[in-house]
């Protein structure tokens, strides 16, 4: 756990390693993620950031040759064991991907889909939950008159916020974001960043980003990864101003990337 933060730990790993076939993506990572904070994972491409993110909601299960060892806990409970209800885990740990992936349904049905699957509400209650999720994603005012139009008709930035609304609709504890703004224009990126700042009041957010300025703007804590290892994790200001490791300093000052 990074120092000087009173928040309880919600996610933690101990000696966590991930391999894909003969290739090691991540080796021996131990870290703690504080609740209701934004934690950014930075580092060069292929350093293991997304592999770690996918451990938190068992998305690596979908990769045939993925092998995981070590411990990964959500609120103190191991989530890597065979007895874990993965569907329930993914309800509690939502995910937003690099490229928006709305379903080929209406705006309303995109947000309602997970609620229906989880049996959360019907009729007016369902409508209220959908509206609340769209408001949380700062999208309601833009789509309130086109709820039953195809989601594919929205702009790229709107589609990504719709995916965020879909993720928060089922009230997860943690929201994982894998490069959520990398495919967006600067204006849409700014809206996503503003939204992340708002959402951290209610959710723990873990974001993978190649944009170091973005990490500096929106995160409370930053972890730097290099060649499958976590080099260091600390408050974001310290990582960028006073990193402990020379490799971190070289990366955040642009000597390599």
């Amino acid at each position: 756990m990074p120092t000087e933060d009173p928040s309880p730990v919600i996610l933690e790993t101990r000696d966590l390693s991930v391999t894909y076939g003969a290739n090691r993506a991540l080796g021996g990572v131990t870290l703690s993620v504080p609740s209701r904070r934004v934690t950014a994972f930075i580092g060069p491409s292929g350093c293991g950031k997304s592999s770690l993110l996918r451990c938190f909601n068992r998305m690596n299960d979908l990769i045939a040759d993925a092998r995981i060892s070590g411990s990964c806990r959500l609120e103190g409970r191991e989530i890597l064991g065979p007895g874990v209800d993965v569907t329930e885990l993914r309800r509690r740990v939502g995910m937003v991907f690099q490229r928006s992936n709305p379903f080929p349904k209406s705006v309303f049905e995109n947000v309602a889909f997970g609620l229906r699957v989880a049996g959360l509400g019907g009729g007016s209650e369902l409508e209220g939950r959908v509206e609340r999720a769209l408001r949380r994603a700062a999208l309601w005012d833009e789509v309130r008159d086109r709820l039953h139009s195809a989601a594919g008709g929205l702009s790229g930035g709107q589609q990504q916020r719709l995916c965020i609304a879909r993720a928060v609709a089922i009230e997860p504890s943690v929201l994982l974001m894998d490069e959520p703004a990398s495919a967006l224009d600067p204006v849409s990126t700014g809206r996503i960043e503003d939204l992340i700042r708002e959402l951290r009041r209610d959710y723990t957010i873990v974001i993978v980003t190649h944009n170091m300025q973005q990490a500096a703007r929106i995160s409370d804590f930053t972890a730097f990864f290099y060649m499958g290892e976590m080099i260091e994790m600390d408050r974001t200001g310290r990582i960028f101003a006073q990193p402990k490791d020379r490799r971190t300093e070289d990366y955040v000052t642009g000597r390599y990337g």
Side-chain angles (χ1 to χ4, degrees):
M1 174 86 171
T3 57
E4 301 174 21
D5 191 273
S7 301
V9 171
I10 188 168
L11 284 168
E12 57 185 330
T13 69
R14 293 292 180 269
D15 198 26
L16 185 69
S17 297
V18 180
T19 60
Y20 302 111
N23 300 314
R24 189 192 77 161
L26 203 65
V29 170
T30 295
L31 60 75
S32 299
V33 175
S35 177
R36 296 195 180 186
R37 297 289 188 269
V38 178
T39 298
F41 293 168
I42 64 170
S45 296
C47 66
K49 305 183 300 294
S50 293
S51 292
L52 176 57
L53 201 72
R54 290 194 296 266
C55 288
F56 294 143
N57 68 347
R58 296 276 295 265
M59 290 296 289
N60 284 316
D61 290 11
L62 305 177
I63 302 174
D65 61 350
R67 298 292 180 268
I68 303 170
S69 62
S71 174
C72 185
R73 295 175 177 268
L74 172 65
E75 295 182 327
R77 295 187 176 183
E78 182 62 52
I79 63 174
L80 298 180
V84 174
D85 184 337
V86 177
T87 299
E88 174 61 18
L89 172 65
R90 291 175 184 160
R91 192 194 73 76
R92 296 186 61 200
V93 184
M95 191 162 191
V96 176
F97 296 92
Q98 181 174 4
R99 293 190 176 276
S100 57
N101 58 340
F103 301 143
K105 299 174 179 287
S106 69
V107 171
F108 182 92
E109 287 300 329
N110 261 269
V111 182
F113 180 83
L115 293 166
R116 295 188 196 279
V117 171
L120 298 174
S124 60
E125 182 183 355
L126 180 66
E127 292 175 359
R129 286 178 179 269
V130 169
E131 178 179 341
R132 187 158 57 250
L134 288 168
R135 286 187 182 278
R136 283 182 170 175
L139 191 57
W140 173 253
D141 289 341
E142 297 170 45
V143 302
R144 62 190 304 171
D145 296 323
R146 51 196 299 195
L147 292 176
H148 301 292
S149 299
L154 301 178
S155 70
Q158 288 173 327
Q159 288 186 22
Q160 191 66 305
R161 280 183 284 149
L162 178 64
C163 292
I164 292 173
R166 190 173 67 198
V168 302
I170 55 176
E171 300 290 345
S173 302
V174 179
L175 193 57
L176 309 176
M177 296 185 167
D178 194 356
E179 296 275 2
S182 64
L184 302 180
D185 61 83
V187 172
S188 296
T189 294
R191 288 177 177 169
I192 294 292
E193 291 181 5
D194 289 342
L195 177 55
I196 290 171
R197 294 185 188 97
E198 290 294 318
L199 289 173
R200 70 178 169 187
R201 298 176 182 177
D202 299 308
Y203 305 98
T204 300
I205 298 174
V206 185
I207 180 171
V208 167
T209 179
H210 280 96
N211 186 327
M212 286 185 287
Q213 290 76 23
Q214 183 175 80
R217 286 192 297 265
I218 66 173
S219 68
D220 301 290
F221 297 95
T222 296
F224 170 62
F225 293 81
Y226 182 67
M227 296 184 68
E229 298 181 8
M230 189 186 79
I231 304 304
E232 62 179 299
M233 178 177 179
D234 208 330
R235 287 191 174 276
T236 294
R238 290 176 184 162
I239 288 291
F240 284 94
Q242 296 177 309
K244 297 182 178 68
D245 193 284
R246 179 60 182 269
R247 290 167 293 183
T248 309
E249 181 180 357
D250 287 348
Y251 183 75
V252 299
T253 55
R255 292 191 177 95
Y256 68 91

